[in-house]
């Protein structure tokens, strides 16, 4: 039986993925926090990916495949720590993969890496430049992680590596940026209502599982059932959009973010103004993936 | 939108509706009927993937239809030349403000079979303007990047482009019916996606404003692509850009098919572009010969 190591296993998405993979794989995980009530037979190692102890975990567990989704995606911690954990943690992990004979690697990146710009075409494919850090320097670590992992595909072609860039993930368990935003702070920019794409957390698990089963190699956008304007998404999850004037709000949020009184940097505002829509055909052609959850079900699954 | 309106307001609107002349109401039901027949697929929320939403576009289309029928009294010729699948509509551009684009879009919705939503390829600054960007998306316009155009055409849409751009729109009255330099991008996209081109000659829009000069430098200062001086603008303020009630005549040419390498050098592409330009010039000549006056 193949053995899969999941980084970030204790997060909502990690837990769902564990349950999905347990049918066909032996699963173990690494995370900074423990997972109370994990299924029997699943080892969760509390380690820092940057530390030597993580190397020991890989040596002793000896996984044949790794799903890497242990990133700090929120901005609550210090910026330097976030960058270090995400980028250096990934770099260490890639080195371990090469050294200890891991045969498959899946890095769960994000659709945000393309950046939100007025000149964005609709349905950007995987070759589109990753420009997010131009207007949103706080997520340059996620862009760097994506770039490191993409370069790894070419450096070690014998390791089946795939980089997945899913659109906004919603669901009951997942703690995605979008989920938190819709649940707690559905602020919008006055006069803007961009189209957005969503995917259900279970469908993302399915996509990861497919990539794993088929030993997928390459960079792929993972898209869900469709796209709606932001305001529609907010209403459908049971909230009311709160439109605010951007010229006032942007400098205000920047200050508040610096003081720690606001959870998102001002660069995030552009994602509420301009469409960031991805073309998912390549992944569908490669794996035959079809999202099971429709838009209405996705919105209904967001906890209120 | 209507269901979120406070009850007294919607009641008032219903009451006022009783005073709307009958032929306006016929126009409204005609538009509704036409919107139901557009071939674009909409999702469960009534949106297409690019943000088109016929429900919210309806009020704008009504206004455009009023201008179309009663102000510009648009007359179309050979509109059955517009095929039902993917097509690139190429027209002349004039009149300081893009009423020609709006009227062409209205013609395609009201008179083409099946009714088509004209997908306009907009300027890069449109998404940055609050509210306006939403309106543009809801009526089916999108930023004119080559990627957008290719994906529109590949999904069988009807894309409208004015290869003269501001060169045509902001020319002076003296230059009316003289086609300006055509951009080459549309031809490359047509070759790449194997799309038929329908040339359109619009007679009338070229005389809707008496353009005297274009102070490009001043426009740049305000961040605009042009700054026209006309008989009425800027003397009457923004209202001075409102067009005269000229009569529009739109001539739709037979679909033209081109073959070749979309990445060929400019000179080779230019040859094909000149064929399209020639067809439009011919239709403009015909239109000017056939009409009896600018306003009739």
């Amino acid at each position: 039986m193949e053995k899969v190591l999941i980084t970030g296993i204790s997060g909502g998405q990690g837990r769902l993925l564990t349950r999905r993979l347990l049918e066909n794989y032996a699963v173990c995980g690494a995370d900074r926090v423990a997972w109370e009530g994990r299924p029997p037979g699943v080892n969760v190692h509390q380690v820092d990916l940057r530390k030597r102890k993580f190397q020991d975990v890989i040596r002793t567990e000896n996984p044949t495949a790794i799903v890497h989704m242990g990133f700090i995606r929120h901005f609550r911690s210090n910026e330097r720590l976030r960058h270090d954990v995400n980028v250096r943690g990934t770099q260490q992990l890639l080195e371990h993969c090469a050294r200890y004979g891991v045969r498959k690697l899946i890095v769960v990146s994000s659709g945000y890496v393309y950046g939100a710009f007025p000149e964005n075409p609709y349905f950007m494919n995987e070759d589109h430049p990753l420009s997010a850090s131009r207007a949103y320097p706080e997520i340059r670590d996620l862009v760097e992680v994506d770039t490191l992992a993409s370069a790894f595909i070419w450096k070690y072609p014998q390791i089946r590596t795939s980089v997945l860039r899913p659109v906004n993930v919603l669901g009951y368990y997942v703690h995605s940026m979008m989920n938190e935003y819709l649940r707690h702070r559905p602020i919008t920019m006055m006069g803007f209502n961009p189209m957005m794409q969503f995917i259900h957390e279970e469908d993302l698990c399915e996509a990861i599982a497919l990539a794993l089963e088929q030993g997928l190699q390459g960079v792929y956008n993972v898209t869900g059932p469709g796209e709606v304007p932001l305001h529609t998404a907010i209403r459908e999850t049971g909230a009311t959009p709160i439109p605010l004037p951007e010229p006032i709000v942007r400098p205000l949020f920047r200050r508040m973010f610096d003081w720690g009184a606001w959870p998102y940097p001002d660069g995030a505002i552009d994602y509420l103004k301009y469409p960031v829509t991805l073309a998912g055909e390549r992944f569908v052609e490669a794996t035959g993936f079809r999202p099971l959850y429709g838009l209405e079900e996705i919105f209904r699954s967001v906890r209120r | 939108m209507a269901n979120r309106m406070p009850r007294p307001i919607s009641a008032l609107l219903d009451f006022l509706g009783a005073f709307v002349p009958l032929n306006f109401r016929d126009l409204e039901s005609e538009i509704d009927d036409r919107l139901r027949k557009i071939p674009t697929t909409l999702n469960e929320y009534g949106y297409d993937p690019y943000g088109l939403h016929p429900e919210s576009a309806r009020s704008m289309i009504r206004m455009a239809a009023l201008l179309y029928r009663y102000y510009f009294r648009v007359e179309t010729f050979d509109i059955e030349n517009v095929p039902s699948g993917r097509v690139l509509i190429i027209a002349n551009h004039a009149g300081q403000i893009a009423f020609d684009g709006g009227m062409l879009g209205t013609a395609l919705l009201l008179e083409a079979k099946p009714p088509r939503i004209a997908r306009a390829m907009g300027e890069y600054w449109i998404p940055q303007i609050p509210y306006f960007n939403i309106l543009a998306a809801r009526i089916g316009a999108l930023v004119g990047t080559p990627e957008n155009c290719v994906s529109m055409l590949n999904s069988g849409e009807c894309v409208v482009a004015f290869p003269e751009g501001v060169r045509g729109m902001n020319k002076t009255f003296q230059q009316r019916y003289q086609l300006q330099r055509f951009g080459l991008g549309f031809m490359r996209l047509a070759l790449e996606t194997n799309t038929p081109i329908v040339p359109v000659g619009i007679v009338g829009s070229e005389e809707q404003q008496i353009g005297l000069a274009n102070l490009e430098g001043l426009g740049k200062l305000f961040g605009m692509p042009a700054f026209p001086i006309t008989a009425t603008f800027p003397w009457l303020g923004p209202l001075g850009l409102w067009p005269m009630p000229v009569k529009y005549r739109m001539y739709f040419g037979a679909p033209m098919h081109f073959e070749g390498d979309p990445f060929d050098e400019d000179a080779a592409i230019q040859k094909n572009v000149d064929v399209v330009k020639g067809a439009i010039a011919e239709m403009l000549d015909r239109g000017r010969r056939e009409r009896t006056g600018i306003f009739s």
Side-chain angles (χ1 to χ4, degrees):
Chain A
M1 199 189 240
E2 277 192 75
K3 186 168 203 179
V4 185
L5 182 135
I6 302 173
T7 69
I9 194 170
S10 306
Q13 192 73 53
R15 294 175 188 210
L16 283 174
L17 183 63
T18 306
R19 297 227 152 81
R20 170 68 179 76
L21 294 182
L22 265 180
E23 300 161 23
N24 308 313
Y25 301 88
V27 179
C28 62
D31 202 309
R32 305 240 296 184
V33 294
W35 176 4
E36 300 292 340
R38 60 182 177 272
V42 175
N43 285 334
V44 173
H45 303 272
Q46 272 182 267
V47 289
D48 184 333
L49 300 192
R50 297 169 297 171
K51 298 285 161 64
R52 232 197 52 79
K53 206 179 145 207
F54 179 54
Q55 197 172 345
D56 294 339
V57 168
I58 298 212
R59 195 168 36 224
T60 51
E61 289 281 2
N62 198 19
T64 53
I66 294 184
V67 177
H68 183 31
M69 48 197 218
F71 304 111
I72 305 182
R73 293 186 195 266
H74 58 75
F75 301 95
R76 291 190 292 273
S77 58
N78 148 355
E79 196 183 330
R80 211 174 289 163
L81 177 77
R82 177 185 144 120
H83 189 275
D84 199 55
V85 168
N86 289 347
V87 177
R88 214 150 57 80
T90 301
Q91 184 228 336
Q92 299 278 324
L93 180 134
L94 294 177
E95 275 176 23
H96 303 331
C97 284
R99 187 171 301 137
Y100 296 108
V102 172
R103 291 202 296 275
K104 292 177 190 170
L105 169 66
I106 293 170
V107 178
V108 184
S109 177
S110 141
Y112 297 139
V113 291
Y114 296 106
F117 298 102
E119 68 270 22
N120 273 356
Y122 275 91
F123 308 113
M124 296 180 275
N125 67 20
E126 291 80 351
D127 307 324
H128 200 85
L130 310 183
S131 328
S133 46
R134 194 171 97 203
Y136 192 5
E138 289 82 1
I139 64 165
R140 65 182 171 274
D141 51 344
L142 296 184
V143 179
E144 282 169 36
V145 164
D146 191 295
T147 313
L148 273 178
S150 305
F152 190 76
I153 301 173
W154 306 108
K155 250 191 252 170
Y156 295 94
Q158 71 277 20
I159 301 175
R160 309 292 295 183
T161 304
S162 54
V163 179
L164 305 184
R165 296 176 184 155
V167 296
N168 298 299
V169 188
L170 293 183
Y172 189 81
Y173 298 100
V174 79
H175 291 276
S176 68
M177 281 273 275
M178 204 11 112
N179 231 12
E180 302 296 308
Y181 164 82
L182 288 174
R183 282 178 57 196
H184 303 300
R185 300 174 199 85
I187 282 170
T188 63
M189 292 303 121
M190 263 182 189
F192 293 94
N193 192 8
M195 296 300 278
M196 286 206 173
Q197 294 171 304
F198 302 92
I199 187 168
H200 193 266
E201 51 191 9
E202 295 276 9
D203 278 332
L204 180 55
C205 283
E206 185 60 31
I208 296 171
L210 277 174
L212 199 59
E213 273 159 27
Q214 305 183 1
L216 194 64
Q217 196 157 26
V219 183
Y220 295 93
N221 295 334
V222 180
T223 53
E227 41 286 309
V228 288
L230 173 62
H231 285 232
T232 308
I234 295 173
R235 282 205 198 90
E236 288 299 311
T237 53
T240 313
I242 309 166
L244 298 175
E246 191 214 340
I248 296 172
V249 159
R250 192 182 275 271
L252 187 72
F253 281 1
R254 190 180 305 142
R255 295 285 153 69
M256 285 169 62
F257 179 72
D258 289 344
W259 296 333
W262 183 254
Y264 315 118
D266 61 308
I269 286 176
D270 291 335
Y271 288 78
L272 305 177
K273 288 175 66 185
Y274 307 124
V276 184
T277 49
L278 315 186
E281 282 91 10
R282 251 183 236 180
F283 186 71
V284 172
E285 272 162 35
T287 61
F289 169 70
R290 287 201 60 176
L292 217 56
Y293 290 79
L295 285 168
E296 287 177 28
E297 290 165 293
I298 291 178
F299 296 135
R300 236 177 292 140
S301 69
V302 174
R303 189 162 26 160
R304 290 229 69 89
Chain B
M1 289 294 272
N3 53 359
R4 277 188 286 113
M5 236 178 258
R7 186 170 284 248
I9 295 183
S10 68
L12 183 68
L13 286 179
D14 286 348
F15 178 71
L16 289 177
F19 296 95
V20 174
L22 268 180
N23 43 355
F24 284 17
R25 264 185 269 172
D26 287 349
L27 189 59
E28 281 179 9
S29 62
E30 188 187 337
I31 292 168
D32 291 352
D33 180 50
R34 288 257 146 189
L35 279 176
R36 269 194 295 278
K37 286 186 188 144
I38 55 169
T40 310
T41 44
L42 307 174
N43 68 12
E44 59 263 53
Y45 296 100
Y47 289 89
D48 94 329
Y50 304 87
L52 166 74
H53 191 232
E55 201 61 40
S56 24
R58 184 166 293 155
S59 55
M60 270 177 284
I61 295 171
R62 278 179 192 160
M63 270 188 284
L66 286 178
L67 285 177
Y68 183 89
R69 284 279 154 84
Y70 302 105
Y71 194 78
F72 294 119
R73 295 148 290 139
V74 182
E75 202 176 333
T76 58
F77 300 87
D78 308 323
I79 196 163
E80 57 281 358
N81 276 329
V82 178
S84 59
R86 74 171 75 156
V87 58
L88 197 50
I89 304 230
I90 301 296
N92 57 314
H93 207 20
Q96 313 300 342
I97 287 252
F99 279 94
D100 48 359
M103 290 305 110
L104 182 53
T106 315
L108 288 165
L109 183 69
L110 293 182
E111 320 226 352
K113 275 180 203 145
R116 303 299 293 267
I117 292 280
R119 312 308 298 246
M121 294 282 124
E123 299 278 353
Y124 284 71
W125 42 262
I126 288 179
Q128 300 184 44
I129 303 177
Y131 297 104
F132 184 67
N133 72 84
I134 305 180
L135 295 182
R138 296 297 169 264
I139 59 170
L142 59 170
V143 181
T145 66
E147 293 96 327
N148 276 345
C149 193
V150 167
S151 66
M152 282 274 106
L153 291 173
N154 282 338
S155 49
E157 294 283 345
C158 165
V159 174
V160 173
F162 298 97
E164 291 172 278
V166 281
R167 289 187 297 276
M169 192 160 78
N170 299 109
K171 67 192 174 195
T172 59
F173 196 65
Q174 289 244 303
Q175 297 165 295
R176 64 191 185 278
Y177 299 110
Q178 296 169 15
L179 293 174
Q180 304 297 302
R181 182 172 65 75
F182 272 37
L184 305 181
F186 79 91
M187 182 56 70
R188 293 185 190 280
L189 292 167
L191 292 173
E192 196 181 331
T193 56
N194 191 22
T195 302
I197 290 178
V198 170
V200 176
I202 304 177
V203 176
S205 61
E206 306 254 351
E207 285 127 346
Q208 70 188 23
Q209 274 278 345
I210 302 177
L212 301 174
N214 180 13
L215 308 180
E216 271 175 69
L218 194 61
K220 231 167 237 154
L221 201 67
F222 292 122
M224 299 189 302
F227 192 91
I229 301 293
T230 76
T232 48
F233 183 83
W235 328 117
L236 300 180
L239 268 181
L241 281 173
W242 186 255
M244 296 191 285
V246 291
K247 185 179 168 66
Y248 271 37
R249 287 176 176 79
M250 290 181 189
Y251 294 84
F252 290 78
M256 307 168 101
H257 297 266
F258 294 94
E259 271 168 33
D261 176 11
F263 306 106
D264 212 341
E265 56 188 46
D266 282 357
I269 301 289
Q270 184 72 52
K271 260 183 219 152
N272 291 344
V273 171
D274 287 340
V275 176
V276 177
K277 196 172 170 180
I280 295 176
E282 217 166 90
M283 287 186 287
L284 290 179
D285 283 346
R286 178 186 155 199
R288 293 175 76 190
R289 267 199 316 273
E290 286 180 2
R291 70 176 178 180
T292 51
I294 295 180
F295 300 102
S296 59

